[in-house]
Amino acid sequence: MSAEIIRKKLQKLSNKKKAKILQGFFKTGPGEYGEGDIFLGITVPVLRKVSKEYAGVPLSETVQLLKSSIHEERLLSLFMLVHAFVKGEAAVRKKIFSLYLRNSKYINNWDLVDLTAPNIVGAYLLDKSRKPLYALAQSDNIWKRRIAMLATFQFIKQQDFNDALRIARILLRDEHDLIHKAVGWMLREVGKRSQPVEEQFLKQHYKNMPRTMLRYAIERFPEARRKKYLKGEI
């Protein structure tokens, strides 16, 4: 099965009206974070379904899709990589992890990161050194930084909060709103499992946090407690 056959399948599923909406939603205009990205107008559930149809496609063909200028082709390729990773033996998982990081310049929007980084990067590093995440967290590339933060979601689910909090600390003064949201989201996920752990972090840092990051982090707190954080009264 070739990448070209898969591309033809996606073209048949395209929807111009939805594509226009998605291009606005994912900020593809001049100077925006998704500048120049091209959409076909295919929803995530449909892409997930298609990815299962093409399970077993050689990694070389999957990577060709990842290098596409079309957003849905890249997302489909990433879903295919996740599927291959989950089904694969240790050697295959290592290969996919390396391939993912080596081609991270194509993983260049928040949905591409959020839907796959925990399932590949985080899953691979569960029982290994987390050192690669710290290099990503200090990258000049916003998407690499978001990969680092979102990968920790896999650890958080296992009640392992240390790397999430350390990377959150590295990204505390990041200038980009999409990083503020990612950090706040992961802090909120820590808090869902252990509010005392999250609050210990917040008490040290919340007054220096970007407002968006703080709002995301305390979103699930009781209203009275949330207001105290927003007023700086904790």
Side-chain angles (χ1 to χ4, degrees):
M1 181 68 66
S2 71
E4 194 54 41
I5 291 173
I6 298 172
R7 286 190 175 105
K8 288 179 180 178
K9 167 86 171 183
L10 293 183
Q11 287 294 333
K12 290 179 180 179
L13 294 170
S14 63
N15 182 311
K16 290 183 179 180
K17 185 176 180 179
K18 287 183 179 178
K20 187 174 182 180
I21 293 170
L22 290 172
Q23 285 184 209
F25 183 71
F26 285 100
K27 308 297 183 183
T28 61
E32 295 182 312
Y33 61 75
E35 181 176 359
D37 208 354
I38 300 168
F39 283 79
L40 295 176
I42 307 172
T43 64
V44 167
V46 171
L47 290 173
R48 287 192 187 278
K49 184 178 179 180
V50 173
S51 73
K52 293 176 182 177
E53 291 178 25
Y54 294 111
V57 169
L59 289 179
S60 58
E61 296 297 321
T62 305
V63 172
Q64 288 304 309
L65 289 173
L66 182 56
K67 295 179 178 179
S68 172
S69 60
I70 296 174
H71 191 95
E72 286 92 343
E73 290 186 9
R74 301 199 304 283
L75 183 52
L76 175 63
S77 74
L78 291 167
F79 284 154
M80 291 163 68
L81 287 177
V82 169
H83 187 272
F85 182 93
V86 170
K87 297 292 185 181
E89 301 294 333
V92 172
R93 291 185 174 207
K94 182 178 181 179
K95 185 174 183 179
I96 292 172
F97 168 77
S98 299
L99 186 154
Y100 188 98
L101 294 187
R102 194 164 60 247
N103 291 279
S104 59
K105 68 179 180 180
Y106 304 109
I107 307 169
N108 57 357
N109 215 313
W110 58 264
D111 63 322
L112 305 180
V113 173
D114 297 3
L115 293 170
T116 62
N119 300 316
I120 293 179
V121 180
Y124 182 76
L125 295 177
L126 262 178
D127 58 352
K128 300 175 182 65
S129 167
R130 281 56 183 294
K131 188 175 179 180
L133 297 185
Y134 292 87
L136 290 168
Q138 296 178 71
S139 170
D140 290 336
N141 183 287
I142 178 181
W143 307 117
K144 289 184 178 181
R145 301 198 302 277
R146 190 162 174 121
I147 287 171
M149 192 69 252
L150 265 292
T152 69
F153 199 2
Q154 193 68 243
F155 314 151
I156 293 168
K157 291 175 183 178
Q158 304 298 319
Q159 306 292 318
D160 179 356
F161 309 133
N162 289 339
D163 292 287
L165 297 177
R166 287 172 184 165
I167 290 172
R169 196 173 291 114
I170 290 170
L171 299 174
L172 203 63
R173 300 182 186 281
D174 199 282
E175 296 181 356
H176 206 292
D177 184 64
L178 287 174
I179 300 299
H180 302 168
K181 292 176 179 178
V183 174
W185 175 17
M186 290 302 100
L187 290 174
R188 184 173 74 236
E189 292 298 331
V190 169
K192 283 165 67 174
R193 292 154 179 87
S194 176
Q195 188 167 323
V197 170
E198 182 189 3
E199 289 217 60
Q200 184 179 12
F201 181 90
L202 288 176
K203 286 173 183 176
Q204 294 177 18
H205 302 292
Y206 85 97
K207 289 184 178 180
N208 298 316
M209 276 184 180
R211 200 68 167 175
T212 297
M213 187 184 294
L214 177 60
R215 286 185 179 278
Y216 269 61
I218 62 175
E219 188 176 282
R220 294 173 63 91
F221 282 16
E223 182 69 11
R225 188 110 182 119
R226 194 176 64 83
K227 286 184 177 179
K228 281 189 175 183
Y229 271 103
L230 292 173
K231 293 177 180 179
E233 296 176 348
I234 296 295

